[in-house]
Every structure is written in structure tokens, then in C-alpha cells.
């Protein structure tokens, strides 16, 4: 069972543990002829790299990606692309204390209960390090999208840290790259700085909400009923470590709307394609893209690796307390932004390929 | 591509349109020897059946399920089970007006853009009628779970209608079957009655939030990283018509919690299995069940088929207005309760089979 | 697990037992806009129908196919197509004797050992009747191929019955429809008539070899390494009841050739595409079609349901003898011809869709 | 699309080209707790390694496997196992001549037609080097089988080289490891030596037939109808480079048998399990194992890389001749023996896991 894979035609399998020799992504189904090199993928990995501010883990790794297969003379060949990242800064010694204890809120206990063995060093497979492989695969997906869907852009940013949300009225896309939070609201970014400094000093952590917007995606991507674009996006985001909720468009708030308010009215645009009065749908109707912005949000829980003592048990069932020392993130949601972007890129490319295969040019025109 | 299928080992493919001759579910991978007959499945379909109160569509169909294969002398044989429901109350005449118009907020326009053809009668494949097939498959899954995981129960109920939420302090499971909303709060149910009557009379509709709880599931179901139990549950719920958000445990609210508050502390229970101080995790850590209650919520948007005029366009691109006459639900979220339960039953059975296959008895013990 | 399914993008799941109410094929992934009706599919089913000569089972069923979904106003909609055939001539009484005995060479014993339950009436799921569902799905695939690959033709015929092979020097495609064996060699057909009459009268059966040729398939279908066109064709043919061997092009005889003899030399044709001096490869190199005829052969073992007594055991382990009375085929290979054609149609359509999705127009030109 | 993957629960994806930095296998779904280290896998790779006699390519590579993930403290953890082999002896210069020419009988031309780009160095993805990754995965599968099916053994050997077959009357399993051909007939091995020396000196090549036997596999592995054990075995063998035919048990010869002769009569054995008078079925009935030896044969065509000039065309369509210099195998079938064994190990483990998941202990007993 490909339980470590996702995607239908653009199929990504990630492998590797936090403290093993290496980790990576095996990507099957990338179209041939896509221009790519390690540098282009490295660009996206560098955005995710830890240690870029005091708000993310101080683990320092170059996260240098190597392309081991599937690329010849600078272009993909249509065969599997192996993207490998060696682990270099492993410091196993930090983790000896948690070898026999289960961190509350962490996969320690369930891995043990399921498998009867776990690589306790740094969380093993459940480590946030696994997401580096996703970002590498996303870099490849972006290169393919640049060729196959030239106008499509994907942008992620944070809209909430702990209880503090951005003010949508102050939304400024230009701010996203100007602060360590990918925050589109300069004032919120300033507020978060103080808030997170306080948390960090107290050895605590906090959750966050990330929003992703894909603009310029063609209408028609997706499929009823279990291969819906939103179904695949929801699964992709929920698969990211620590994610506990996923929303499309209006999301959970759709429950509070009436049908009259929720309906995005339709008009003909000047360019002969439909335009809408609003986007409660988040760009997806019946599982298929409308051509509007595709809007996804997901909530990331606070990391369970904190300096505050919590009560727990050992493998032998004895009551104890645990404090997780080490180099952890006060807000893992920050590093989830490039991960979410990468997942979205992979899913959109996948559905673009599916659409080409099954529909060809059979889609309907309006007007 | 099995875009109309879900599940790994217990694999369900639904087929059929709202106004075709029949619809159903092809279920591959049901374990052999499970006692089942049409009556046992009918029990669950009857719960979902429309027309049971004035708050759901007045379309009246017996929704009588037939088992066409895979069952011999009252037990499953391990071969595919075909569950068919004939469509009997189709009244195609109701839909002539929408043949060339796109309902705002409905899959009309995206189906057209994708496929260049759509069965406009009753929404075709995008109709809520498709969910009858899911409920049938869920009935089969429940029968298998009753055998393979005897203590496991699945219960769904509504926690929000429009802006009105239940009061958790008044939660009473005994109330769930006592009102047409599967509402565990008697006071909320009374309030919703008046609220929905008003909406219905004004030809409007509203959204809702459904909560599902599985109790008694064993620890160890699920898998990292893309085959997580929560990943599959999120996809399953998002695949239901009109769902726009999915939450596990604390859900979107996890963003506002600190690591200290979110960590469910662990203790040894009297029966030698771990117990937890709380269940922010919703019963899933690292994609794998903890043995606690598995808690999922999803938001259903209001139906777009309303009597209030909305602006839209025709297939030829002309501006127009649309009112959807017919027999529609003021709150489709109500009928989503048994659908959500059915999806949860299918996903849990699927992961139970996966666990048996890949782990056998290799899981770890505590104490 | 979709163990009753095949295909990647054009995905066929068959369901149903020999003596249940019905059987059929759930086809997911058929492109939209394909003109089809039940009559067009019935055409292919009629070719496979038993009872057309004294050399096939005398079971008489109309095998009337119904299209229950996925087709609207005479064209596919892109949603699942449900093809159902009701069982009408079941005569369960014929099978009471084999309820507790295992027929040597039949799936009776392995179904029992695996599932602990089996529908013993007519072989249940292992009956040749299952192949009717394949032929129905193949009819749909042919309709899609007619639109998407207009010049492609698929032709099946018998090349061996028992020890008697056709003489390739007498090969005449015009003969194929002129005898009850789809035999391209008139002399062989005459010889087989007498041979099979003798077998039939003695209550015995015999095996056969079927050959399939697809002409006009474009170059480029298939993929390395496990999604090879020949890999999928081999699996498709081996999945047919009673098939014990599959060959592509030269097949098992390739073992006896030298590299010099086996290499099909390449030239430029007048129309600017490559032509070959020979076709030892059977139209497939490296898992990908060359544009030459695609040639597949498969061997069908003799049916185990014979009137000759064979020693066997009962479910309780007692030694006994068995004679299978009933309406069986002296040479089941005859009815395998349209089944093989149908499987080939499904596989070729599937790879055509895969090629469109993943390659688009990126393929290389020569000259 | 996982076109470079095989297996349902034990899922293997191979990646890498002949002359890239590395190649390997990403194995998802290996059960946890299996004792394994690189040395145990290396054992199987060493059997396949080229250059061990003058009858296989003189390319000399250590083929040293590294385990990059999924193993912790000497045991599998249930997470993906990455098996990597670096390419060390690449000599790209040997291949400059074939950059623009297509070798007759080789994937050169179809890769170009499909992808519009190909890694011409050493055949790229179509190189026999890809099979090293299969052997590594097979080594892991063998370790898991040793734990989960202790009595099961898998043995491969050659039964035909060019036109020269072994004499079954001289079959001696003890001979298999005594000659460079894995030949169970000492006399045949001696004959083949002279025959292949002649071919090698003349720059020619020849095909072969390999036979595989799995003994001690439990009854009940496999499934109707498309997930048959023989279906998966046929696909697995056909996916090996240069294979053109696959047989189960009697194989193509089943065509010539009568039902009376082909039926393997059934008796009760002394140990309370069924025994059979013969094994025409090759250990599989209705797609499910009987408990007898599972017997598979496949034919390998002669390599197209020969020193004999063949007529062909260039990428620009010009007529030319080609001779393939380099280090090639006079009989690639020899190295296919450990590859076939590895594929069989993977498929049997996969079906063992499937059986555990879907059947548990529901299978039927006899007696």
C-alpha cells in the first residue's frame, strides 16, 4: 500500500527519518522535457530551511538537494526523479531522554503501539523534517506548472498565530516576504514578534493558521466524487504534520451562511469567461475548479516538544514527567507555509495531468 | 483513475445519477463470512431517506437497496458486493428551466466546463442522491466492523445550524434520536425548528456543522504520512457534497492553543491501557489512532437550490436570473449526518484491514 | 484493494456471480462525449454469447446489457458507466452434486481454502460468465477508441485447438467470421470440427491458443518499467479464466533466436514514419508501442468440468470421484476470443489516456 | 501514476538510470520488526552482479547497496525503506555512437517517440541495470518472508538457452549453484558453455527460458479476478527487461492437453492437507495458491546490443547501420535468474500481506 505516497499521475513518495543518513522524494509521473536543476529546487528548500529566524528550530542543516535520476542534460526524461537530501546535523545525544517516554501530543506513543519499534531520534518519520522532501517535490511540480500552466501562481501566508489573526483590511501581498512569518499584515507581524518571543522564552509553543491561494488555475480541474480537487487538497494539507483542520473557501464558516448569501453570482467577463460576484466557494464547485482563485486554509497545532513539564508514562507503563529539550519551533506553523505551497503545487499539477488525459479538449465552452 | 472510488482494502466505487435508472455502490474487498442481508443495509438507508420531516427534501423514494452480488446464503463471500438502488420518483419536468442556466454555487457550471456535457436532471452525479450509495456501503462496513471490532460504535449528530450552535453543557446523547436534526441538545433542537421553518418559508437555505465520534476503536489504526487516518477521514468528509471544512479533534481552534494546553497528558488506566487527561487530538496522533474517541467535524454549506432569485448566465453566456423550484432541503446538513457516519465506518474498516495486513500482531505493548 | 479491477485511467471493476441476480462492470474514467447505447455494447456481447454452436456451452442467456449510469442523451458524461447483465437461465439444480466436492483443476478448492465460503452454483465468481462483464466494458472501450484513435482495429482469432495449429501459410483474415472457431485457416477449421465433435461426445475437453492483433495503434503507448504496455497486456490476458500462458510477439520462441535474427531492422517509410523489416517484438519495445501491429497470444487450458470421472476429495476430506454434469464447453478457448479482444481494447484505451495525460504533445519526431 | 511501481501492500518503486549518479528501490509497506541489514541484501545483489563469468557483461560494479531509511537498530520500522546503489563504472564514452541511432530491437526508438528525450547512455532507464534495484527489494522481501512464511523457498534456474533445453530426466537441484548458468542439468550446462562461447566470439547473442519454483507457500494466496496470484506474477515477470512470454504451470502447452489429462486429481495427505496427483496448474487454481509448488517460466529475448551490423535509421530519419560496441551479455537471460527470484519474492510477500488483511483467519479447512 502506498501509504507514503500521494498523487494520481504526478505521484510523490517520501522516505526517510529525521536522523537517518538521508531523506527524499521519489517522484513518478513528472512529464518529460521540463527544465530543472538542483538549484531551482534548492530555491524552495531554502525558504523552508530552519534556523532562519529565532522563531524556528535552531537545527542548522544546509538541506542541499541532489537529483539522482530522471533528469538528463537539464530536462526531465519522464522517468522517476529521485530527490535526496542528506541529514548532516543530527546530534542524536539530544534525544536519549525520550527513548522510553512518550511525549503528550506526539506520535511517540502511537508509533510504538502500531509498529512495536520506533526511531525515537528526533521523531523519526513523524519529524517535521519529512516536509523537506515535500518541498523538494513541490519545486519540481512548480517547474512543470510553469511550463504547462504558465499563468498559475501559488502563494502561502499566515493569517493567524495563536489567538491573533490578521486584519483582512490591512492585507498587503507585498508584506509577505518582509517578515519572518510570511504575514501579509505588517501590524500583525509586529504583534506576533513580541507574542512569540514571550512564548519562546517561557519554553512554550503555539498553533497557527496558514492560507494558500492559487491564482490563474484553469477551470475544469478536479472530478466528482472522491477525486474532487478539494478532496485531494484536504488530504494533502491534513497529511502535513500537526495539521488538525482544513478549509476550502468559506470553510467552517459556510455553516453560518444562507444559500442566498453563499451563492457566488455569475456574470460574463470582458474576456469571454465567467466572472463571479464573490468567492465563497474558494474556486471549487462540485469538486472542480471554476477558474477563480483556489483558496485553502489549514490549522497547525502547537508543537508538543516544549520545555514545560507534562505528565506522561514510560514504555513500561510507569508514571513520569517529560520536558523536551532540543531545538524546536515555538510556532511550527511558520515553516508550514512553504510546505503547504508545495503540496498545492503537486496537487494542481496532478489534476492538470488527469484533466489532459481524461478530457483532452472535450470540455464545454460558454458563450 | 478511480476518481469515483475510495478506500485501500475496503474499496467503494459509487455510480449513478439522480435521474438515471439506478445508482449504487460497488464494494470490493469486504472480508468473507460477514452476515448481511438487504434489510440490515436498508436500516441505515432509511435513516438518510428524504421526506422524513419538513426540513428535508420532499422527494419521496423508497430507496430500496438490492444486493446483486457477493453475498451467498446470508454471508459475504469475499467477492465484490454490488448494492443497487433504483430511482423511482424522478419527475424530470421540474428541471427544464435549469437546462441552460448555471445555478450560482452549484456544480452546473464546472461540470459543463470540464466535460462539455452534463445530466442537468436533478444535478446528475453531483446530486445529494449519490450519498445514498455511500450509506449503503457504510451499512456493509458496519456489519463487518460489528464482527471484527465488536466494541466500536460510530455516532453522528449536528452541533450547528446556521449561526446557532449547541451548548456543550447540555449535551445529551439520548436526545440525538428524539428530534429531526440528530441534535444532542434538546433546547437547540427546539430553537432550530423555528429558525428552519422561517428559512423554508422564505425559500432560503442554510449551512450546518456535523460531528462524528467513533468510540472503542483500537489504538494503532492509520499510518504515516499520506495514509494517515486523519488524512483519509478528511478526504472522506470533504468528498461529501457541499462540505467546505473538516476538523479533527480541536480542529481550526488548535491554532489558538499553546503546546502546554494542547498536550493531552498520559496516564496508565486500570485496565492496563493508556488514558488521557483530555482529547484535543481527537483520538489521532501522527496519523494513528490512540484508542481514545476519534472526533471529526465537517461544515456543510447551504444548498444553492433556493427560491430566491440569483443572477447568473446561460450556456450561451447571456445574463439572466435563476430560481430553483423543486423539492429541496432547507438544510442539507441534516441528511449529511448518516452520510458522515457511513463514511467513517468505511474508513475505519479499511484501516482495520490495512493494520491486520501490514502489522499483524507486531504492535508494541505498554507496561 | 481493487482486486476485481484493472486499468489506470480507464478503470473497470467487474462484479457478480454465475447464479446471482446479475453481473456487470463498473467503468470509471471513460472520457466524456463518446456516443454509445446499449445496442452498440450488445453487438460485442452477442459474439461471446454461449450456445451459438455445438462447441460452446448450451446455457442459453440473452445476456442483455443495460446501461444504468454515465450516459445521457446517447453520450458518455465522464461519470461512472454501470453496465449490468441480469442472469436469467440459472438452473441451480445442476450443481447440487458439486456442493461438497472439489473439481480437480477448478477453483472450487482454493476459493474454499481462502474464503471459507463459496458460491458453488456454476462456479460463482470463477465462472466464465464473469467474462461477459469484460466484453461489455470492452464494447465501451471500443467506442471510445473509435473516436480517439480512429484507425485502430483489434482482431482476435484461434491459432491452435488441442495439438492442432493453423498453417500460417493459409492465413486468411476473411475466414475468421466464417466458422464457429474464429479460425483464419479454413482447412484447420474443418479439421477442428471433427476433432471437437469427438471430444464432446466422449465428455472430454481441450485447450486452445488465441492470438490478438491490434493494427493502427500509435507509437508511444506504454511506459517503463512496471507500467509497460506488455506488462498490462500480460496481466489482462492472464486474468481471464483458464489462461496459463501469455506471449508478446515472438513469445516463448524468442528464447531460441539470436540477437541478429530477433532484431527488427528499421527503415524510413514513405509516409515519414519508421517501418520495420519484421515484427519479432510484437509491436512493443521497452514496454512502449512502436506503431507496428501489437501481437499477443494466450493459452487457455481445457475446462475442468467434464464428464470423465476424476478422483477428488470432499470438504470433509473423504476420497471420492466426480463427474461434472451440466452445460459446459468442450473448448472454452473459443469463447475467449471476444474476451481477449475486449481486454485488449480496454488496455489500449487506458494507455492512450495515460499518454495524453503525461506526455501531451511532448513526444519526439523522427526525420 | 505509479508506472514505476508494483505491489499492493508491499509496494516497490524503482528509480534510476544506467549512467546517472545512482539507482535504487523505494519500498513502502514492509512489515515492521524484520531483521535486516545491508549485508543481507548485498548477498542477493552479488548473485546478480555482472562480470562473474565470461558469459555476462564485463561492466564491473561493486553494486554496493545502502539502506537510507526505514531500518533502525537492525530492524525495519514499518516506514519506507530506501535502498540505493551508486553507479561507479559508467564509461559514458562507449555510447557516443548510439546517441543519434536507434538500435533495432531496443527501446531507443520508442523512448524517443514517447518522451522526445532519452538518456542514451547505456540505455538509461531501459538498461538491465534497473534490475539491480529489483534484486535489492527482493532481498528485503525474502527477509520478511523468512519471518512470516518460514517454510517458503524460492528457487530459479535456466531451462533453455537458445534452442537448447535441459533434459528434465537429468534435473538435479544440487547442480544449480555449480555452473555459471544456474542450470540444474550438468550436461546441458556443459553444452551451453561451448555454444555461448561461439556466440560471444561472433558478437552475437541469444535468448533463454528461466523457471522459478516457490515451495512451501500456503494455500489461499491470491484473489479473483484481476488480483490473481498468476496475474501479478505474469505482470511481474513481463516487466523484466527483454521478457516476451510468461507461463504458469503447464503454460502454453496447456493448449494441447485434454481436460482429463490436465486435471490434477486431489487426495488427502497424511498431514491432513490436500495432495495432488500432478501439478499442471503450477500451484494456482482460480488465481489462488493451492499449496503445491508455484511454477513460473519466462522467456528472455536475446539482447539487441550486438557486434553484428544491423540496418537502422537516425533521429533525423537517415538510413544507416549500427554495431553496438560495449560490454554486453551474450545471454542476458543468465542474469535474469536472480531477478525473477526477486520479483517472485516480492509478489508472494505482497499476497501474504493482502491475505492477512482481508481474510485474517476466515479461510476454510478441509477434513
Amino acid at each position: 500500500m502506498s501509504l507514503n505516497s500521494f498523487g494520481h499521475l504526478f505521484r510523490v513518495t517520501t522516505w526517510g527519518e529525521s536522523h537517518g543518513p538521508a531523506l527524499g522524494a521519489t517522484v513518478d509521473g513528472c512529464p518529460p522535457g521540463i527544465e530543472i536543476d538542483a538549484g531551482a529546487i534548492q530555491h524552495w528548500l531554502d525558504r523552508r530551511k530552519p534556523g532562519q529566524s529565532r522563531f524556528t528550530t535552531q537545527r542548522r542543516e544546509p538541506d542541499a538537494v541532489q537529483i539522482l535520476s530522471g533528469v538528463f542534460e537539464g530536462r526531465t526524461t519522464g522517468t522517476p526523479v529521485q530527490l535526496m537530501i542528506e541529514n548532516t546535523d543530527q546530534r542524536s545525544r539530544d534525544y536519549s531522554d525520550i527513548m522510553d517516554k512518550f511525549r503528550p501530543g506526539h506520535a511517540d506513543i502511537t508509533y510504538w503501539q502500531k509498529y512495536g519499534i520506533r526511531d525515537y531520534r528526533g521523531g523519526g518519520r513523524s519529524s517535521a523534517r519529512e516536509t523537506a522532501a515535500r518541498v523538494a517535490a513541490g519545486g519540481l511540480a512548480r517547474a512543470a506548472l510553469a511550463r504547462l500552466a504558465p499563468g498559475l501562481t501559488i502563494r502561502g501566508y499566515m493569517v493567524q498565530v495563536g489567538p491573533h489573526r490578521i486584519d483582512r483590511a490591512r492585507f498587503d501581498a507585498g508584506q509577505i516576504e518582509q517578515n519572518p512569518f510570511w504575514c501579509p499584515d505588517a501590524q500583525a507581524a509586529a504583534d506576533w514578534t513580541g507574542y512569540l518571543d514571550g512564548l519562546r522564552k517561557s519554553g512554550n509553543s503555539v498553533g497557527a493558521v496558514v492560507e494558500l491561494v492559487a491564482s490563474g488555475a484553469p477551470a475544469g480541474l478536479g472530478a466528482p466524487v472522491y477525486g474532487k480537487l478539494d478532496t485531494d487538497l484536504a488530504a494533502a494539507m491534513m497529511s502535513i504534520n500537526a495539521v488538525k483542520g482544513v478549509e476550502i473557501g468559506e470553510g467552517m464558516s459556510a455553516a453560518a451562511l444562507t444559500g442566498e448569501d453563499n451563492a457566488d453570482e455569475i456574470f460574463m467577463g470582458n474576456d469571454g469567461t465567467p466572472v463571479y460576484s464573490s468567492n465563497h466557494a474558494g474556486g471549487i464547485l462540485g469538486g472542480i475548479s471554476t477558474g477563480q482563485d483556489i483558496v485553502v486554509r489549514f490549522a497547525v497545532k502547537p508543537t508538543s516538544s516544549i520545555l514545560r513539564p507534562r505528565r506522561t508514562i514510560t514504555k513500561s507503563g510507569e508514571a513520569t514527567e517529560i520536558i523536551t529539550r532540543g531545538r524546536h519551533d515555538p510556532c511550527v506553523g511558520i515553516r508550514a507555509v512553504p510546505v503547504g505551497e508545495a503540496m498545492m503545487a503537486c496537487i494542481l499539477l496532478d489534476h492538470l495531468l488527469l484533466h489532459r488525459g481524461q478530457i483532452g479538449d472535450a470540455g464545454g465552452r460558454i458563450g
Side-chain angles (χ1 to χ4, degrees), chain A:
Chain A
M1 188 50 44
S2 299
L3 296 176
N4 289 276
S5 302
F6 68 94
H8 306 274
L9 287 178
F10 183 80
R11 185 121 180 117
V12 177
T13 304
T14 71
W15 54 272
E17 280 78 38
S18 172
H19 284 62
L23 54 80
T26 308
V27 184
D28 198 1
C30 186
I34 306 299
E35 290 185 30
I36 193 75
D37 60 21
I41 291 176
Q42 194 63 48
H43 169 75
W44 301 106
L45 276 166
D46 289 346
R47 281 168 64 91
R48 176 200 158 282
K49 198 166 58 178
Q52 302 195 94
S53 79
R54 65 185 180 276
F55 305 112
T56 54
T57 175
Q58 294 308 299
R59 176 170 172 149
R60 295 188 184 283
E61 305 238 23
D63 276 358
V65 69
Q66 299 174 52
I67 301 177
L68 297 185
S69 68
V71 175
F72 182 59
E73 299 182 342
R75 290 190 298 144
T76 56
T77 60
T79 62
V81 180
Q82 181 58 262
L83 303 169
M84 182 178 76
I85 299 162
E86 293 185 39
N87 288 321
T88 54
D89 180 20
Q90 303 172 3
R91 298 202 217 175
S92 294
R93 60 183 157 83
D94 285 344
Y95 295 93
S96 55
D97 183 49
I98 60 163
M99 198 170 122
D100 288 316
K101 294 180 182 176
F102 303 118
R103 279 166 288 181
H106 194 278
D108 290 339
I109 191 165
T110 51
Y111 272 48
W112 173 253
Q113 287 178 304
K114 184 173 192 79
Y115 297 112
I117 180 175
R118 72 185 167 95
D119 184 346
Y120 47 77
R121 301 167 306 168
R125 183 76 181 140
S126 71
S127 166
R129 243 189 109 49
E130 183 272 342
T131 60
R134 304 178 187 232
V135 173
L140 183 60
R142 289 209 197 230
L145 284 171
R147 167 86 169 273
L148 303 178
L152 191 151
T153 61
I154 292 168
R155 194 177 57 193
Y157 43 86
M158 293 185 84
V159 296
Q160 183 180 342
V161 167
H164 307 292
R165 299 178 189 224
I166 64 164
D167 182 340
R168 294 273 170 180
R170 288 195 303 251
F171 190 104
D172 174 3
Q175 286 297 319
I176 294 173
E177 304 280 338
Q178 304 305 317
N179 58 70
F181 311 111
W182 289 291
C183 176
D185 171 353
Q187 180 60 53
D191 296 345
W192 295 352
T193 302
Y195 174 70
L196 287 175
D197 272 333
L199 275 173
R200 188 170 53 83
K201 284 170 189 162
S202 68
N204 211 338
S205 63
V206 79
V209 176
V210 173
E211 186 166 283
L212 302 165
V213 176
S215 301
L221 303 188
V225 185
Y226 306 106
K228 285 176 171 167
L229 183 55
D230 31 358
T231 296
D232 283 357
L233 285 168
M237 300 311 153
M238 194 61 92
S239 78
I240 301 172
N241 288 335
V243 171
K244 300 301 284 186
V246 182
E247 301 186 315
I248 305 292
E250 204 63 43
M252 298 304 292
S253 305
L257 293 182
T258 65
E260 188 172 14
D261 292 338
N262 185 63
D264 305 311
E265 294 184 305
I266 315 174
F267 304 89
M268 267 319 259
N270 293 330
D271 66 347
T273 60
V275 294
Y276 295 81
S277 63
S278 51
N279 190 12
H280 296 289
I284 303 176
L285 287 172
I288 299 170
S289 65
T290 62
Q292 291 185 276
D293 280 0
I294 298 170
V295 182
V296 182
R297 267 183 311 286
F298 59 90
V300 184
K301 73 176 183 184
T303 181
S304 55
S305 297
I306 52 176
L307 286 167
R308 319 282 279 209
R310 307 305 295 157
R311 287 172 294 175
T312 188
I313 56 175
T314 64
K315 260 165 56 174
S316 51
E318 287 156 22
T320 184
E321 276 203 342
I322 191 163
I323 288 176
T324 311
R325 301 184 196 284
R327 300 153 299 171
H328 298 292
D329 295 35
C331 181
V332 284
I334 299 172
R335 288 201 289 145
V337 172
V339 177
E341 289 178 345
M343 296 303 286
M344 196 172 206
C346 291
I347 299 298
L348 289 175
L349 174 60
D350 188 36
H351 275 278
L352 195 70
L353 300 178
L354 277 174
H355 186 78
R356 286 207 309 191
Q358 293 204 283
I359 309 303
D361 55 1
R365 298 185 202 292
I366 295 173

